[in-house]
Structures are given as C-alpha cells and as structure tokens.
Amino acid sequence: MKDASPATAPKTFYLKDYTPFGYDAESVHLTFRLAPETTRVISRIRFAPKPDAADRTFFLHGEELKLISAKIDGQAVTPELVEGGLKCEVPGAPFTWEAEVEINPAGNTALEGLYMSNRMYCTQCEAEGFRKITYYPDRPDVMSTFTVRIEGDEPVMLSNGNPMGQGEGWAEWHDPWPKPAYLFALVAGDLVNHPGSFTTKSGREVELNIWVRPGDEHKCAFGMEALKKSMKWDEDVYGLEYDLDLFNIVAVDDFNMGAMENKGLNIFNSSCVLASPETSTDANFERIEAIIAHEYFHNWTGNRITCRDWFQLCLKEGLTVFRDAQFTADMRSEPVKRIEDVIALRARQFPEDNGPLAHPPRPEQFQEINNFYTATVYEKGAEVIGMLKRLVGDENYYKALKLYFERHDGQACTIEDWLKVFEDATGRGLSQFKLWYSQAGTPRLKVSEDYADGTYTLTFEQSTPPTPGQPDKAPRVIPVAVGLLSPNGDEVRGTEVLELTEAKQSFTYQGLASKPVPSILREFSAPVILERETSNAERAFLLAHDTDPFNRWEAGNALAKEVRVAMVLDGAAPDAAYLDALEKLVRDDDQDPAFRALVLTPPSQSDIAQTLFDRGHTPDPQKIYDAAETFTQTLAQQLETSLPRLYAATTVDGPYAPDAEGAGKRALNGRILSLLTRLDGGEQAARQYQAADNMTQQYAALGALLKAENGEAQSQAFFKQWQDDRLVMDKWFALQIACAAPEKTAATAAALTRHPLFSMKNPNRFRAVFGALAGHHAGFHHASGEGYQLLADNLIALDKLNPQTTARMCAAFQTWKRYDAGRQSLIRAQLTRIAGTDGLSRDTTEMVTRILDA
Ligand code: 0A1
Ligand code: ZN
C-alpha cells in the first residue's frame, strides 16, 4: 500500500522576491515532430551566464513532460528533476542546451501548452503554458529569438514570425523579434485562409490571413476589415507600425479565454473572430472588432515592450484595454462606448473589488497567476490609465507614450518604468498616483454642497473600505470632472477636472447668480462610487439637461436604481415621475437610438442587491426580480399607445450592416419589442422571428418569446436551423437559461447539461450554460439552493479536465456575504465541498480558499 503523501501547501509567489534569471537565452531552436499522443519536442538553446548575476542556479521550468534526453554542448547530461522543472550543473561560459521531450497534445484538456482542438494542433502559452511544451526558463523577462521547425502531415503548419521554407511534411519559421516564451505559438491542421493585405505607412507590404476550418470561410470578412482598421488606427493615433511581413490570425473552437496576442500568430477563440450577419448579433460584431484590435495593439504594448514578471500584468493589459477602448470610441460612438464600459466595470470589477477576491491592479502575491486575469487587472488597469491621461492632458499623454516606446522597446518592464516615463515627460510627480496600482478596493466619494452669496462649494470626502490584507488605505489622487448647470438647464460652468489628493477637500466656484445643479464625475472620470444625497427631481433634471452624455445616462441609471430600491424596500409602486421621464425620452426621436436603448436598459439585479447591501439591508433576490418585472410591466402599459409606432420607427430597413448606427437602432428596437411582448404575448415577436434575416433580430425575438413562456416552437426551429453551428448553439443554450423564471432556472440549466450537444470539454459551451446560470441573479440565488449545487457539481467535474476555466467560474460565488444566513450557509456548504474534493487543482483551490476566507 502506498503511504498517504502529505498534502503540499500551494506555493505563494511574491513580487518582493523578484530576482532575475542568471542566464541570457541568446537563441532558441525548436523542432516539433507532431503526433496526437506522442509529440516530440527537441529544443536547442544557446545560454550565456550573466556576468553580474546574483543567482546562477540553472533551473528550467517543466510540467507534464517526459524527458527523453538532455545534452550540454553535445554531451549527454542527467539533470535533477525537481518540483516544477529541472536543475542541472552547467558551464560558467556560454553553452548549448539540448533536450528532447515527449508530450501528449490529444490528452491535454486543460488547453494550456500544446493541445488538440477539433483535430487541429494549437498552443496557449500565456501565462505559464510553455513549460508544458519543453523545459525552459518560462518567465517573461527571458526574451529570445525563436526558430521553429514543424514536422508532420498537416496541410497547414504555422508558427511565429516569417516563413523560412516548407516542403512535404515540414515547415520552418523564424521570428526575428526577441520574445518571452508566453508569446510562442504553433498551429497545425486542415485550415483554409481568408487573405488580405496592408501597406504600412513606411511602405511595408504585410500579408494578412485569417485561418479557419473549412466551412467557416464566410465568417472572416468582418474580422479582416477590423484588423486593417486597427493597423491603420495604431499608425494614425500612436504612430505605431507593424513589424513583420506577415500577420496570421487563427480561429480555434476550444479556448479558455477570448484570444491571444502571440507574435505574428494571434490565436482566437472562434467566438471572438468569426462573424456573419446570419449567425452573429450586433453585440458580437462590436466585441469581435474590439478583440481583434486589442490583440493587434498588443504587438507594441505587450510584445515589443513586455512585462518583467506576471505581477506587472496590468502594464500590458490595462494599457491595451485602454487603447482598444479608444479605438472603439473612434470607430463607433464615444459616449456609447463609455457607458457600455462603465456598465461592464460595475458588473464585473466592482463586485471583485468589494468582495473577497479584491486585489490591486498590480497584485503583490499569487499562487496561480491564471487567477489574476481579472477585471481589476484589465478594466481597472485601463481606468487607471484613463485617469493618468486626464491628469496630464492629451498632449502630455502622447508625449509620454512616445518616450515609453523609445526608451523601453525590446525590454521587459515594470509599473515603475511606466510611471517614470510620465514623470520624465511631464515633470509631474506620481508617487501618490501610484497608490492606484497598489491599493485594492473601490474608493467611496462623499459629496456635499454649500451655496451662499454667489459662492458655491463642493466638498469631497474619500475613503476606501478594507480589502483582504489591506485594512487601511491612504487617500489617492482622484480626478473628478465637474460641470455646473443653472436651474433653467444652461451650463454655467463647462467641464473642469478637480484634483482630489486629500481625505477631505473643498472646491469653490464664485460669481454664480443662483445655486447651480452640479454634474459630478462626468465621463466617469474615476472608478469610484459617488455617494451624494440628492433628490429624484434633480436626477430627472440631469437626465433631461446635462450636456455630458455619460452623466445624462448616469442620472437615469441612478433614478432607475432608486425607484427599484424603493419598490423592494417599501413595496412602492413604480415612480410616476420617472416613468414620465422615460416615456418622454423614448419618444424623443431627436435623441440617439443607442442612447435611448441604454437608458431603457434596466440596472442589473445584482447591482440592486449590492446597493441594498451597501445601505444596510439584506437583499432578497426574488423581491428584486419581482420589482424589475413589475417595473417593466408598468412601463409597457404606460407606453402602450406609442409602442407600435416606436417599433415601426426603429425597425431598420434594407440589408443588414453591423455598423454602430444600425446597431443602435436595433438595440432600441429590441427593447421596444420586449415591452411590446408583455402586452401582446408575443404576436409581434413571432412575426419578427419569422421575418428575421439576421441573428440580432432573430435572437431578440426568440428571447422575448422565451421570456413570455411562449417560444417553444421557435426554440425548436432555432435548434433545427443552427444545430451544426457551434457558436449559434452556445447562444441557444444560454438564452433558455437567461429567460427562465427564477424557480425554473436551475432545472433548465440541469436539463441542458444532459443535452447531447452539451460538452464539458468545450469552454464556450460550459460557459454558455453556467455563465447564464450565474448571471441569472434570482435564478442562481433561488432559495432552494439548487443553482448553487448544480454549479458546484459541475465545477468539481470540470476541475479534473480544465482547472483554469473552473477557477474563473468560481467567482460566481464571490458575492455570497451579501445574502441572508440561509443562502450563506447553502453557499458555504458548496464551497466547502469543492475545497474538500480530492486532487483539486491549484487554480481552483486558490479561488475557493480566497472566497471562503471572506
Ligand atoms: N493576453 C490575452 C489573454 C489571455 C490570457 C491568458 C490566457 O491563458 C491563460 C489566454 C489569453 C489577452 O489579453 O487578450
Ligand atoms: Zn490583452
């Protein structure tokens, strides 16, 4: 019998422990002999000891590798195999390391390293997947040039950089740009390409390709246009040009994340690149355009300048998200993009920042870095850059960026390097600003006002609640964009950025004829929670008159929340003045349809729950759901006579095009249809379903019908029509759950896991079902606890196959401390059950432990 081995506590890595690797990797040669279960990887790496290295330990990472042989300068050696890699005695002068290993791509369901997806070989190396391909110093500060030979019988065999040659059964690639191993990529399989080309501003001809499985060719055109627009935009706005002769994108069906910026060979989750009017919604098109841009922009912010270590992840991600948001704003609508981003920030980042998983944009410790590809690192990381830009001004921002690229091209950098560039370019000290990178938690900003004799004073008090490991926080620099309106609706002071640096600070405005109405935090100038005692009448005034479109929407959003909170707490009827304001806005054809659609979009029920919790109440998910239903029903009735006209007026005629204008109109049309369905039971929706020639309208109609519990026939028809299209089937799975009544949500999800097309191995399908379950606030948190149990059962099962996706989805439980004792104990029981599972992955262990520690 085997001794029970003591459970090894997962190792924690700390930012403060950073030490450079003792060797430079001067060049890397890799040969892949492809075979589904027994791929051989032969590496030949030239290493040179660093003259000034403090630590000369020769440790190479390696996981799940079968070592066949190792040599140094041609002589066989026997390295010591240790936890997570190997160690070896090496010469004190430059030497050549060679190793042959065997790996099993077909058995790789974790989708990290080299794996197979639909008979195609592909790789995912960020963050630490390369160590599952061969022994290597798998850390981003080790940068080298890669030459790759692929041997196999796949028709198409790709790697990074430029092609060097190919023949029967082989292909060779060389990437001249030194890069960390996380940017390595290899793809091989039966693929077809959608070609394109781009001429850079200095005249370099770049060949572009989107590679897909045969049958998906018709879904590439939009992605190709998005890529060309991105290349042009980065030249125009940042002066950044592409640096290879070839840029390849590959679509794969099984992928843990959205996409990956591998040098010259981006790999995309097929859901983030394939698009056609018949199969993709307007929201899909917008997201695809943004992700293509995001990965392309990484070529400079991430690849040419990379991260010294993974604690610096937001250096590349925050900046690249910020850049892709600028791009989308330029391509589409600036205010609409800003509103969408703030909605997403509040839905994904605020719960993280205000719960057990809170961490700073630059974390100081981790057990599993994959658990830190978070909304805080990405989206809050981008918000921090937005604040920096606002504080230094546009001109200084671009001056600093220019210096960043000049000074750090080819380097692996830190947040200190980044901020130093701004200090040097602008002469402004940023030591207090840096707190945004090291402090977790969302600051609360309390505002009070005073008016006497023409002088108006705004007083701000900032504080940030405790977060794990950070009980106290110092005041931060907070840029607050403020404008003042006179009671008749005129703007009496245009937008001005007030810079808060202290815990409490006042600003005065002189010479005002009457007490103004302030419009605070315009454009959402800082990721904070504004706490201000104000009336619904003032909110309605701002919704009607503010010159800042973001704050106009924000006033409506705050009103919507207040009205629902009152309905939940006091059983109040929907506020009549708010209903009137909404009606007026919806019927005002001079207003942008996209904006009207956003104002009509109800605040998320999870957001209402958080608001109630913040005000000292225990949120009841069912009551929040009921209030939302009552509100929508009342609004539909109030609008009854105008709905048919509005529906007709917002129906887009002519052939479908995924542009912002059409999308805005269809978004409004979709909202009108859902209101209409409440009154006609689905007559109009059924007609729209029948007539739809694009997925946006087909999907909106099906959603409205399912919500009315009158869509069985259409759901079956939808299945029949689209059963061979994986991406559309993901929508079908998700929509049935999203539209189910709370008491039926878990059972609907459970039934779908028994559907023949459900698969644990495809992250998109798993997320379609369980993302929809977790996203249905009242359904997931139904008092029966069935939702919790179903998710836990499936997380336990998925962890054996795919720890990374399992761990991410544990976040569904992160808000558990908001709810009543009964729900808390149900959730605690499930979290404890997950934590106690034998052989639970490091990824999931870390997440569940952090959530339980709340
Ligand atoms: N760097 C990619 C996202 C990405 C991150 C991690 C991955 O595997 C753990 C895969 C992709 C991006 O920002 O798009
Ligand atoms: Zn990224």
Side-chain angles (χ1 to χ4, degrees):
M1 210 175 88
K2 234 181 107 207
D3 284 345
S5 54
T8 41
K11 186 171 154 64
T12 301
F13 299 88
Y14 296 94
L15 167 61
K16 64 175 166 40
D17 290 344
Y18 173 80
T19 34
F21 187 51
Y23 301 82
D24 287 320
E26 294 180 336
S27 63
V28 177
H29 285 78
L30 300 172
T31 300
F32 288 80
R33 303 209 168 114
L34 298 176
E37 284 165 12
T38 53
T39 288
R40 288 286 171 105
V41 184
I42 300 143
S43 60
R44 184 156 49 84
I45 307 165
R46 188 76 186 157
F47 283 112
K50 284 184 190 157
D52 51 352
D55 183 356
R56 282 280 175 76
T57 312
F58 188 74
F59 171 76
L60 302 181
H61 296 98
E63 281 175 19
E64 294 164 38
L65 305 173
K66 188 158 125 198
L67 181 61
I68 307 293
S69 65
K71 288 182 208 163
I72 288 179
D73 291 332
Q75 300 292 313
V77 291
T78 312
E80 180 195 355
L81 297 184
V82 297
E83 172 81 37
L86 61 73
K87 285 184 183 165
C88 197
E89 290 292 322
V90 299
F95 60 93
T96 300
W97 162 267
E98 287 171 278
E100 178 163 353
V101 301
E102 189 175 289
I103 54 179
N104 176 3
N108 182 350
T109 57
L111 315 181
E112 294 170 357
L114 179 65
Y115 64 94
M116 300 205 74
S117 169
N118 271 329
R119 292 183 297 283
M120 160 182 157
Y121 292 86
C122 69
T123 54
Q124 174 52 40
C125 294
E126 188 177 6
E128 300 181 331
F130 193 76
R131 62 190 62 183
K132 295 184 172 180
I133 291 178
T134 191
Y135 287 100
Y136 195 75
D138 187 8
R139 35 186 295 165
D141 58 345
V142 174
M143 300 171 79
S144 190
T145 54
F146 282 63
T147 307
V148 176
R149 178 180 168 87
I150 311 171
E151 298 175 2
D153 22 344
E154 303 300 330
V156 174
M157 299 194 285
L158 310 171
S159 191
N160 315 87
N162 297 314
M164 301 301 287
Q166 66 175 69
E168 192 57 34
W170 65 276
E172 285 184 2
W173 293 82
H174 176 70
D175 181 359
W177 298 102
K179 66 168 177 291
Y182 83 86
L183 291 172
F184 168 79
L186 177 154
V187 170
D190 182 14
L191 296 165
V192 288
N193 69 319
H194 177 105
S197 68
F198 182 80
T199 308
T200 68
K201 63 176 178 178
S202 69
R204 180 198 282 269
E205 282 293 326
V206 186
E207 177 190 331
L208 312 174
N209 290 298
I210 298 182
W211 296 91
V212 296
R213 289 189 304 156
D216 282 337
E217 300 89 331
H218 64 291
K219 293 187 178 182
C220 298
F222 180 79
M224 180 57 76
E225 287 317 300
L227 175 59
K228 291 184 206 164
K229 284 192 213 167
S230 308
M231 296 177 89
K232 177 78 169 62
W233 184 90
D234 218 12
E235 291 185 348
D236 291 348
V237 177
Y238 281 85
L240 299 172
E241 210 176 317
Y242 188 60
D243 54 5
L244 289 166
D245 304 327
L246 175 62
F247 189 84
N248 281 320
I249 286 177
V250 182
V252 302
D253 287 332
D254 304 286
F255 201 75
N256 281 330
M257 308 280 273
M260 180 63 213
E261 69 263 24
N262 315 300
K263 185 79 185 190
L265 178 54
N266 285 189
I267 297 182
F268 274 64
N269 185 322
S270 50
S271 71
C272 297
V273 55
L274 301 182
S276 75
E278 299 74 33
T279 59
S280 314
T281 61
D282 288 322
N284 295 148
F285 278 104
E286 180 174 336
R287 187 165 129 85
I288 286 167
E289 186 175 78
I291 296 182
I292 288 186
H294 179 97
E295 305 311 329
Y296 175 72
F297 296 158
H298 267 314
N299 190 54
W300 276 94
T301 51
N303 301 3
R304 288 286 286 259
I305 303 181
T306 192
C307 302
R308 187 193 71 174
D309 53 69
W310 290 120
F311 298 101
Q312 320 294 331
L313 183 57
C314 73
L315 177 73
K316 74 176 176 83
E317 295 305 346
L319 178 53
T320 306
V321 171
F322 182 73
R323 277 152 47 70
D324 82 53
Q326 287 183 297
F327 168 79
T328 298
D330 282 356
M331 295 298 124
R332 290 167 179 261
S333 150
E334 189 171 352
V336 168
K337 172 64 175 163
R338 189 63 189 141
I339 294 166
E340 289 170 348
D341 281 352
V342 174
I343 291 172
L345 192 77
R346 286 177 175 152
R348 300 193 326 113
Q349 202 275 329
F350 279 26
E352 188 167 271
D353 224 0
N354 292 282
L357 298 177
H359 56 276
R362 180 170 70 176
E364 275 153 34
Q365 63 186 76
F366 63 75
Q367 288 172 1
E368 172 51 65
I369 185 57
N370 286 338
N371 289 335
F372 286 84
Y373 285 77
T374 59
T376 298
V377 168
Y378 275 66
E379 276 78 31
K380 188 170 180 176
E383 290 298 319
V384 171
I385 293 176
M387 286 189 285
L388 193 52
K389 180 163 177 279
R390 204 176 286 276
L391 289 168
V392 302
D394 285 3
E395 200 180 312
N396 274 329
Y397 170 80
Y398 288 104
K399 195 169 142 203
L401 267 283
K402 190 164 173 281
L403 182 59
Y404 181 61
F405 296 117
E406 279 165 13
R407 187 184 282 178
H408 292 297
D409 187 11
Q411 297 176 5
C413 294
T414 62
I415 291 300
E416 281 73 18
D417 295 326
W418 164 253
L419 290 176
K420 182 78 169 53
V421 159
F422 275 81
E423 294 191 326
D424 292 351
T426 66
R428 180 190 168 115
L430 291 171
S431 54
Q432 188 186 8
F433 184 80
K434 195 178 167 193
L435 291 172
W436 279 105
Y437 285 103
S438 60
Q439 291 189 163
T442 312
R444 308 296 197 266
L445 202 55
K446 242 196 189 119
V447 192
S448 54
E449 58 184 332
D450 186 62
Y451 176 79
D453 305 327
T455 300
Y456 181 67
T457 307
L458 278 173
T459 302
F460 296 87
E461 279 176 83
Q462 58 162 305
S463 66
T464 305
T467 51
Q470 295 187 334
D472 304 306
K473 311 278 200 310
R476 313 182 199 198
V477 186
I478 304 181
V480 185
V482 175
L484 301 180
L485 303 173
S486 80
N488 69 13
D490 295 340
E491 186 165 79
V492 286
R493 289 286 194 283
T495 305
E496 186 186 337
V497 179
L498 311 179
E499 286 185 31
L500 270 59
T501 53
E502 278 148 50
K504 184 170 181 182
Q505 217 168 337
S506 296
F507 298 84
T508 51
Y509 295 83
Q510 314 279 354
L512 293 164
S514 56
K515 180 167 184 268
V517 178
S519 166
I520 303 172
L521 213 64
R522 284 184 160 179
E523 288 175 35
F524 201 64
S525 60
V528 302
I529 294 174
L530 202 58
E531 291 176 351
R532 176 159 178 262
E533 303 269 322
T534 175
S535 63
N536 281 352
E538 188 177 302
R539 293 192 177 100
F541 172 86
L542 287 172
L543 171 61
H545 299 291
D546 204 329
T547 55
D548 178 61
F550 174 83
N551 257 6
R552 230 150 51 74
W553 170 82
E554 178 76 319
N557 180 55
L559 250 176
K561 266 168 61 169
E562 288 311 320
V563 168
R564 281 167 179 77
V565 164
M567 290 174 72
V568 171
L569 289 181
D570 320 327
D575 182 78
Y578 175 53
L579 286 167
D580 289 344
L582 271 189
E583 176 170 6
K584 200 161 155 233
L585 186 101
V586 176
R587 294 168 60 158
D588 183 353
D589 291 335
D590 292 339
Q591 305 264 358
D592 177 16
F595 182 81
R596 284 188 278 163
L598 284 165
V599 177
L600 271 181
T601 305
S604 85
Q605 293 178 30
S606 175
D607 199 1
I608 305 288
Q610 182 66 36
T611 306
L612 286 164
F613 178 75
D614 288 343
R615 297 184 188 175
H617 306 281
T618 302
D620 178 340
Q622 183 66 42
K623 279 195 179 157
I624 297 174
Y625 180 87
D626 292 341
E629 290 296 302
T630 305
F631 185 86
T632 311
Q633 188 67 34
T634 315
L635 179 63
Q637 274 150 4
Q638 165 130 0
L639 288 171
E640 185 165 8
T641 51
S642 24
L643 285 177
R645 178 196 74 75
L646 281 167
Y647 178 79
T650 53
T651 302
V652 186
D653 302 321
Y656 174 91
D659 53 78
E661 199 193 326
K665 251 181 143 184
R666 279 183 295 270
L668 180 56
N669 185 250
R671 297 237 59 91
I672 304 289
L673 180 67
S674 70
L675 292 169
L676 205 48
T677 306
R678 299 217 167 223
L679 303 180
D680 74 2
E683 250 175 73
Q684 185 60 53
R687 275 199 293 274
Q688 174 167 322
Y689 186 89
Q690 203 55 41
D693 65 353
N694 61 80
M695 182 50 69
T696 307
Q697 286 179 309
Q698 190 178 14
Y699 192 65
L702 182 59
L705 288 163
L706 287 173
K707 188 88 191 28
E709 302 199 7
N710 191 15
E712 194 45 42
Q714 286 82 0
S715 176
Q716 281 177 26
F718 191 93
F719 177 80
K720 257 192 148 159
Q721 184 181 359
W722 296 117
Q723 55 186 316
D724 295 328
D725 187 307
R726 278 192 180 210
L727 297 175
V728 181
M729 274 297 102
D730 289 334
K731 296 183 180 3
W732 182 75
F733 274 84
L735 194 63
Q736 293 174 72
I737 300 165
C739 294
E743 66 281 7
K744 294 189 189 150
T745 313
T748 305
L752 285 169
T753 61
R754 295 187 290 270
H755 192 279
L757 290 185
F758 179 74
S759 159
M760 283 284 215
K761 289 197 178 162
N762 177 249
N764 288 0
R765 188 60 46 86
F766 190 91
R767 277 189 289 256
V769 170
F770 292 101
L773 173 64
H776 191 315
H777 184 252
F780 181 55
H781 291 287
H782 190 265
S784 66
E786 280 171 44
Y788 306 148
Q789 166 142 12
L790 183 68
L791 179 62
D793 287 348
N794 282 277
L795 291 176
I796 289 169
L798 184 67
D799 190 62
K800 296 193 176 16
L801 299 169
N802 185 336
Q804 197 186 123
T805 291
T806 309
R808 305 196 113 236
M809 298 209 60
C810 289
F813 291 116
Q814 71 180 325
T815 55
W816 68 294
K817 287 282 168 117
R818 278 181 194 163
Y819 300 98
D820 53 275
R823 285 184 172 85
Q824 285 197 27
S825 83
L826 289 168
I827 298 179
R828 185 187 295 109
Q830 297 305 334
L831 287 168
T832 312
R833 184 162 70 95
I834 300 174
T837 305
D838 261 357
L840 195 72
S841 68
R842 182 179 52 198
D843 308 53
T844 305
T845 304
E846 183 185 25
M847 291 295 277
V848 176
T849 312
R850 284 165 65 205
I851 297 172
L852 269 172
D853 279 352

